[in-house]
C-alpha cells in the first residue's frame, strides 16, 4: 500500500502551481473568466472522482463549453509544460480523473450534446459529457439499444466510459465499450485535433482507436465519439433466483454458460449485499437467501423462452430454493433495482467502504469467493460481494469505519490481496474500473517489464512530454526521454514499488 489516503490527501500545490495560475489568467482572456476556476473553495469540488479516498486539489479548473475550449486549454498547457487531466461526471472508481496538484483539470460535463443519431447505420455521435443513459434512451426511440451499461449509467458520461473502457451488466453478451466505439475526435497533448476510426465498421492499419479506448486519458482527450448501437432484442426475460449456499449460485453461473446459453447478464449478490440493498430500496429479494442471481436472457422470443426453461432447470439442480420470473417491466425493474443500488446501499450498513474490481475465470468463482471470505475473516473485515458473475468480474465491497485508525489502510490491503488472488488464478487487476492512481503499483504484478515498456512507448508516441493525465495507469511516473527499453541493472528497483525501469 504505497499511495494511500494520507499520502495523497496531503499533497499540496507544487512548485509549478504559479505557472498554472499564470496560465489561468490567459485562459480567462480566451474562453471566459466565469469558466476558469482558481478559488480554493470552488476547486475542492473537483479534488477527487468516485474514489474519494484519493484527493488532490487542482491548481486550475476549466469548465469547457466547446471543443475549442479543450483545444485552447491543451495547447496552452503544452506550451507551458503544465499537466492536465480530463474529467466528465467524476464517477470513476480508480482515481483516473484525480487532478494533479500543479495542473489543470478540464471538466467536460458541459459538452453534453447528442450530435446526431443515424438509426439506418446504427450509430450515435455524442460529446464526452453525454450521460450513458441518454444514449440508451435516444437509441430506444428507433428500436435500438446502446449495450454498455455501467451500474452508474444514470450519471456516468460517455467520455469517461471511453477512457476507462467501461463495462456493465450486459457486457457478458455484448462486449465492453471498446466493442461499441466506431470513431473518436481526439485532442492530443499538443492541442492537435485528430480523428481515430470513423464511421465504417473496420479500418485498415494500426488500431489506434483500440489503443485510445481504455487508455485512461493518457493519450489525449476525446471531444466527440461515434458509438455503435444494436437492434433492440425482440424479447427480454429476467429471473431472480435465491440460494442458501454461495457455492450453488456460483456453480449455476458456470453450468448455464457450459450449457451453451449466453445470457445478456448474470449478476450475483451475497447476503451482505442483499442486506444493504433491502435496507436502501426494499427490493424484496428472497427471504433467507445467502446469494441471489439476476439472470436476463434476450433475443428471439422462441429462443429466449426455451433457454429460460433450461436455466430454471439448471438452477433447480443447484438447489435454488426460490425462482421468480418478472411478469412485466415493473417487476423486471425491481429485480434490477436491488442490484444497481447495491454499491450506494452499502453506505447504509457501514460508515465507509472500499470498492475493488478484479477479474477471474468464472469457473473459479466458488473457490475465489471462499478465499475472499477467508481473507476477510483473517483481516477481521466484512466484505459484501456484488458483481458481474457471468464474466467473472468481481466487485468486493470492503467495509470499514474510517474513524478507526488504521482501518482504511487495512481495507486497501485486503483489496490488494484480492487482486493478487485474481492474478494468481489467471485473471486481471481490473475488469471495468480502470487502473487509475489506485492500482498502478499492481501493473507490475500482472505485466512483465517488456509489456510495460511497450505500453510506455505507445503512450510516448501520443504524449512525448508526459503531460496528459500523468501519474495514472503506469507503475511509476517517468519521462519519455528515459528511452523505454534501455534498462540497466542500476535502473531496477524493488518490484513491489512497481518501477518499470
Amino acid at each position: 500500500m504505497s499511495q494511500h489516503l494520507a499520502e495523497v490527501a496531503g499533497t499540496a500545490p507544487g512548485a509549478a502551481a504559479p505557472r498554472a495560475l499564470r496560465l489561468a489568467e490567459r485562459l480567462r482572456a480566451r474562453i471566459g473568466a466565469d469558466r476558469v476556476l482558481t478559488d480554493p473553495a470552488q476547486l475542492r469540488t473537483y479534488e477527487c472522482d468516485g474514489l474519494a479516498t484519493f484527493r488532490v486539489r487542482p491548481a486550475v479548473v476549466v469548465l469547457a463549453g466547446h471543443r475549442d475550449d479543450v483545444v485552447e486549454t491543451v495547447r496552452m498547457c503544452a506550451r507551458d509544460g503544465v499537466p492536465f487531466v480530463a474529467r466528465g461526471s467524476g464517477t470513476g472508481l480508480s482515481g483516473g480523473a484525480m487532478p494533479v496538484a500543479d495542473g489543470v483539470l478540464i471538466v467536460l460535463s458541459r459538452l453534453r450534446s447528442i450530435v446526431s443519431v443515424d438509426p439506418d447505420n446504427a450509430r450515435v455521435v455524442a460529446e464526452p459529457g453525454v450521460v450513458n443513459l441518454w444514449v440508451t434512451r435516444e437509441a430506444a426511440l428507433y428500436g435500438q439499444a446502446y449495450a454498455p451499461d455501467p451500474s452508474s449509467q444514470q450519471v456516468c458520461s460517455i467520455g469517461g466510459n471511453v477512457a476507462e473502457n467501461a463495462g456493465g451488466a450486459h457486457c457478458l453478451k455484448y462486449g465492453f465499450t471498446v466493442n461499441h466505439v466506431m470513431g473518436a475526435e481526439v485532442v492530443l497533448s499538443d492541442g492537435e485535433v485528430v480523428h481515430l476510426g470513423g464511421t465504417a465498421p473496420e479500418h485498415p492499419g494500426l488500431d489506434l482507436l483500440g489503443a485510445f479506448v481504455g487508455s485512461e486519458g493518457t493519450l489525449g482527450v476525446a471531444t466527440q465519439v461515434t458509438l455503435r448501437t444494436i437492434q433492440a432484442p425482440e424479447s427480454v426475460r429476467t429471473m431472480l433466483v435465491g440460494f442458501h449456499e454461495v457455492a450453488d449460485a456460483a456453480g449455476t453461473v458456470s453450468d448455464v454458460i457450459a450449457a451453451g446459453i449466453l445470457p445478456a447478464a448474470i449478476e450475483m449478490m451475497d447476503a451482505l449485499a442483499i442486506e444493504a440493498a433491502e435496507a436502501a430500496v426494499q427490493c424484496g429479494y428472497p427471504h433467507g437467501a445467502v446469494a441471489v442471481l439476476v439472470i436476463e436472457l434476450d433475443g428471439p422470443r422462441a429462443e429466449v423462452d426455451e433457454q429460460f426453461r433450461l436455466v430454471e432447470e439448471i438452477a433447480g439442480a443447484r438447489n435454488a430454493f426460490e425462482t421468480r420470473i418478472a411478469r412485466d417491466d415493473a417487476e423486471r425493474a425491481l429485480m434490477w433495482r436491488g442490484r444497481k443500488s447495491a454499491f450506494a446501499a452499502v453506505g447504509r450498513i457501514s460508515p465507509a467502504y472500499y470498492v475493488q474490481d478484479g477479474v477471474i475465470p468464472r469457473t473459479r468463482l466458488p473457490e475465489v469467493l471462499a478465499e475472499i471470505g477467508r481473507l476477510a475473516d483473517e483481516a477481521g473485515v466484512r466484505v459484501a460481494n456484488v458483481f458481474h458473475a457471468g464474466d467473472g468480474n468481481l466487485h468486493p465491497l470492503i467495509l470499514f469505519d474510517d474513524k478507526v485508525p488504521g482501518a482504511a489502510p487495512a481495507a486497501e490491503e485486503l483489496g490488494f490481496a484480492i487482486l493478487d488472488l485474481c492474478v494468481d488464478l489467471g485473471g486481471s487487476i481490473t475488469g471495468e474500473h480502470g487502473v487509475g492512481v489506485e492500482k498502478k503499483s499492481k501493473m507490475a504484478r500482472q505485466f512483465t517489464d517488456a509489456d510495460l515498456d511497450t505500453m510506455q512507448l505507445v503512450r510516448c508516441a501520443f504524449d512525448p512530454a508526459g503531460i496528459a493525465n500523468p501519474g495514472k495507469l503506469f507503475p511509476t511516473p517517468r519521462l519519455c526521454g528515459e528511452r523505454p527499453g534501455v534498462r540497466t541493472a542500476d535502473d531496477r528497483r524493488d518490484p513491489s514499488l512497481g518501477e518499470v525501469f
Side-chain angles (χ1 to χ4, degrees), residues 71-144:
V71 174
E72 193 66 30
T73 301
V74 172
R75 281 179 179 165
M76 287 189 180
C77 286
R79 190 169 57 204
D80 291 7
V82 173
F84 65 86
V85 177
R87 168 190 163 122
S89 298
T91 58
L93 292 169
S94 62
M98 192 182 76
V100 177
D102 57 1
V104 174
L105 184 71
I106 305 173
V107 178
L108 303 170
S109 55
R110 296 187 179 192
L111 297 178
R112 52 187 177 189
S113 295
I114 293 181
V115 178
S116 65
V117 180
D118 183 356
D120 292 337
N121 290 295
R123 62 195 183 210
V124 172
V125 179
E127 292 187 320
V130 168
V131 171
N132 178 293
L133 187 60
W134 300 355
V135 179
T136 298
R137 288 174 174 167
E138 190 71 24
L141 297 176
Y142 303 92
Q144 298 185 348

